Amino acid sequence: MRQPARRSAALTGAETESTESPEMPRTVDRLPNDDRTNGWSALLAARQPRPSLQAQLDVDWLIVGAGYAGLAAARQLATQQPGAAIAVVEAGVVGENASGRNSGFAIDLPHSSSPSDAAVEQGRHVIRVNRFAVDALDRLVAEHGIACDWNRCGRYHVAVTDAVAAESLKSYAHNLDAWGEPYEYLERGALRQRLGTDYYAAAVYTPGTHLLNPAALVRGLADSLPPQVQLFENSPVVEADLHGDSPSVRTAQGRIRAGKLILAVNAFSQSFGVYRERQVPVLLFASLTRPLTDAQLASLGSDDTWGVTPAHGVAGSTLRLTQDRRLMIRQGFEYSPSLRTNDARRAKAKAMNLDLLRRRFPQLGAIELEHFWMGWLAVSQNHAPAFGRIAHNAYAASCCNGSGIVRHTAAGMLIADLALGRQNPLIDDFLVEGTANYIPPRPVRDIGVGLTLAWDMWRGRAEQ
Ligand SMILES: Cc1cc2nc3c(=O)[nH]c(=O)nc-3n(C[C@H](O)[C@H](O)[C@H](O)COP(=O)(O)OP(=O)(O)OC[C@H]3O[C@@H](n4cnc5c(N)ncnc54)[C@H](O)[C@@H]3O)c2cc1C
């Protein structure tokens, strides 16, 4: 089944512009660069990637990017149009992308929120979308037996200092009350018992977050796609024509032309000339220790497995004790317009990861990092997604703002619905904060974003 071209499709509320004039085709100027350091996939058995694209294809639907967004879009299209030909092209290998490199928190609630009636009301919409996506993932994990340590053990949203506890956690607790969500407010002594550290002044514990191995989850989602979805790995798109009646892409050895295209490349949207003035790429760093010894685990005296997210989103650190007894830390939040970094920066970030773990767990003695890696995501100035129709037959779901396991699972399903013309009220829920707003171009942006992040980091330095 091939989609007829629809020249006069009505615009929808989710329509946004690609911010690029329709010259075509366009060379994709910055490709993902897999540095083969992802700790999560290093813990898994080897996986055979799907073959790369080596043909000229015509399909009904083409999805670029096989992270949570692209895979969810492909599955949703296949469910709604079982006879459609659907292709997914992925630059690298599934699980080595940001979707496989993150901290593994599938969060059901707004990440945090300000103390206002508007934030409470918006939060209700966010919760509807997040629960919809968590439930979808929960079903897929069970249905396909995806072994990814999927575990609903909740999360501790923490403040290191009393000031941030009073400012952020109290208002978060107030909003949880308004939403009727269960939680516990825990202070230092109680946290010492649960987490094995007295580093934190306070935390709000909510029970609905799932913790997981993200590389295992995204691999499992790719390997259980319906049969009419063809996935091509190791197939970077080097040229794209998003604007024609039949959008098309070219890879080193192939080409695909489609009835409709969905771009799901998150931080790499800018390389396609899309959302360049709506979102910025941000670089994060993470590490996993070796499994703790019996003696180290005993000295921790904590719960078996737990996850901590920082109330100070920019300066703070995400932390986990995994089911296989490793500590994971994620720290750093760096404006990274080039989508590249260097060894000196990596070495500094790795040393910082280690130092922050030692500060929290001095009783463990020597802590050794077994894996260190990094990954890019995209954020907007107003924390809203970049989502919608970007050309006549092209759509994009981008700008995860840091919580894409759940939000971009939803975004993928919802962008598919939008492209199919399905009325799904969750699209309005997803866009409750609007879409990503305008950010001035470089070099003004470099100064503005650089200074804002540096200031946030400095102000939040006690929350590291
Ligand atoms: C260190 C770190 C920790 C994080 N922690 C969490 C967390 O705990 N919880 C959470 O919810 N989120 C977390 N995130 C964010 C989360 O990983 C992202 O929101 C999520 O991966 C976005 O999914 P996506 O499918 O939109 O994008 P991606 O996972 O980035 O997938 C986009 C895909 O597009 C592909 N692509 C790009 N360019 C091309 C091209 N030219 N041709 C073909 N394919 C291309 C890429 O290779 C990639 O596979 C974290 C991110 C990082 C980096």
Side-chain angles (χ1 to χ4, degrees):
M1 189 175 82
R2 183 88 156 65
Q3 302 285 306
R6 289 189 307 139
R7 264 242 164 270
S8 61
L11 305 189
T12 75
E15 177 137 7
T16 48
E17 80 287 8
S18 73
T19 73
E20 175 104 336
S21 64
E23 318 147 6
M24 36 188 162
R26 179 199 162 87
T27 301
V28 177
D29 54 15
R30 190 56 47 140
L31 300 175
N33 187 13
D34 179 8
D35 68 347
R36 301 185 195 285
T37 57
N38 181 12
W40 294 113
S41 58
L43 304 181
L44 304 175
R47 167 181 172 272
Q48 185 62 44
R50 305 283 183 90
S52 61
L53 178 68
Q54 306 203 358
Q56 317 275 313
L57 296 183
D58 280 282
V59 295
D60 299 304
W61 295 95
L62 169 61
I63 292 134
V64 183
Y68 294 110
L71 295 171
R75 191 182 296 274
Q76 179 71 353
L77 292 169
T79 306
Q80 296 302 322
Q81 290 196 339
I86 302 165
V88 181
V89 275
E90 165 53 44
V93 169
V94 172
E96 301 310 319
N97 43 12
S99 287
R101 284 172 175 253
N102 57 59
S103 306
F105 288 68
I107 300 172
D108 59 330
L109 294 169
H111 215 44
S112 57
S113 58
S114 56
S116 70
D117 291 347
V120 168
E121 188 44 38
Q122 284 181 349
R124 294 188 213 285
H125 299 265
V126 173
I127 292 169
R128 257 200 302 274
V129 173
N130 289 13
R131 292 256 159 82
F132 157 77
V134 170
D135 290 349
L137 289 171
D138 202 36
R139 275 195 305 277
L140 290 169
V141 166
E143 191 182 330
H144 299 290
I146 300 174
C148 63
D149 296 341
W150 180 253
N151 183 10
R152 186 180 186 274
C153 57
R155 75 171 168 138
Y156 296 84
H157 200 51
V158 300
V160 176
T161 59
D162 289 328
V164 170
E167 183 190 322
S168 296
L169 295 184
K170 295 279 185 199
S171 67
Y172 194 46
H174 168 270
N175 290 1
L176 289 165
D177 282 332
W179 297 324
E181 294 289 341
Y183 70 92
E184 289 175 78
Y185 193 94
L186 300 156
E187 297 196 334
R188 199 179 303 276
L191 288 171
R192 171 77 185 77
Q193 309 249 307
R194 307 262 191 111
L195 307 176
T197 174
D198 50 18
Y199 195 76
Y200 301 113
V204 171
Y205 172 78
T206 51
T209 289
H210 288 73
L211 300 183
L212 55 120
N213 176 323
L217 176 60
V218 71
R219 281 182 181 191
L221 294 171
D223 292 340
S224 62
L225 282 170
Q228 80 265 38
V229 180
Q230 278 185 282
L231 167 62
F232 301 98
E233 294 179 68
N234 290 312
S235 305
V237 168
V238 293
E239 195 177 88
D241 173 2
L242 304 178
H243 293 272
D245 270 349
S246 300
S248 63
V249 302
R250 203 170 58 70
T251 65
Q253 292 172 300
R255 182 192 56 73
I256 306 185
R257 196 171 56 179
K260 287 188 181 175
L261 178 147
I262 293 177
L263 190 68
V265 296
N266 204 30
F268 291 88
S269 295
Q270 62 176 40
S271 310
F272 288 76
V274 171
Y275 298 138
R276 289 180 98 99
E277 281 151 26
R278 307 275 153 189
Q279 62 173 50
V280 297
V282 166
L283 174 60
L284 310 178
F285 301 95
S287 299
L288 272 167
T289 66
R290 294 184 189 288
L292 300 184
T293 62
D294 288 345
Q296 284 178 317
L297 206 60
S299 76
L300 216 55
S302 74
D303 289 349
D304 290 346
T305 182
W306 44 256
V308 158
T309 53
H312 197 291
V314 171
S317 310
T318 302
L319 207 67
R320 283 178 60 181
L321 177 62
T322 63
Q323 287 181 30
D324 67 347
R325 319 190 341 169
R326 296 167 193 268
L327 290 166
M328 189 230 67
I329 185 161
R330 194 281 306 151
Q331 211 270 338
F333 195 95
E334 192 170 294
Y335 175 51
S336 178
S338 67
L339 292 159
R340 295 288 184 266
T341 191
N342 57 49
D343 285 346
R345 181 66 194 102
R346 287 164 47 85
K348 201 169 156 205
K350 184 175 179 185
M352 181 72 158
N353 278 189
L354 188 56
D355 177 51
L356 292 172
L357 281 176
R358 287 185 175 141
R359 281 194 225 168
R360 282 160 175 78
F361 302 106
Q363 75 272 37
L364 292 181
I367 300 178
E368 281 183 64
L369 299 183
E370 189 165 65
H371 300 285
F372 167 79
W373 68 97
M374 68 207 178
W376 280 268
L377 52 77
V379 299
S380 57
Q381 190 268 333
N382 60 345
H383 307 293
F387 175 98
R389 191 172 172 195
I390 51 168
H392 181 53
N393 277 324
Y395 297 77
S398 192
C399 198
C400 65
N401 283 296
S403 43
I405 297 178
V406 164
R407 298 290 293 170
H408 272 203
T409 295
M413 295 169 83
L414 297 175
I415 199 73
D417 278 353
L418 184 74
L420 285 162
R422 293 185 81 223
Q423 303 292 321
N424 186 337
L426 284 170
I427 295 174
D428 290 337
D429 288 320
F430 185 70
L431 297 178
V432 64
E433 293 166 86
T435 52
N437 61 4
Y438 174 78
I439 307 169
R442 302 179 70 185
V444 174
R445 171 188 312 175
D446 294 355
I447 299 164
V449 178
L451 283 177
T452 306
L453 281 184
W455 172 237
D456 264 4
M457 273 288 182
W458 189 82
R459 272 196 324 167
R461 63 198 182 288
E463 290 291 317
Q464 277 183 336

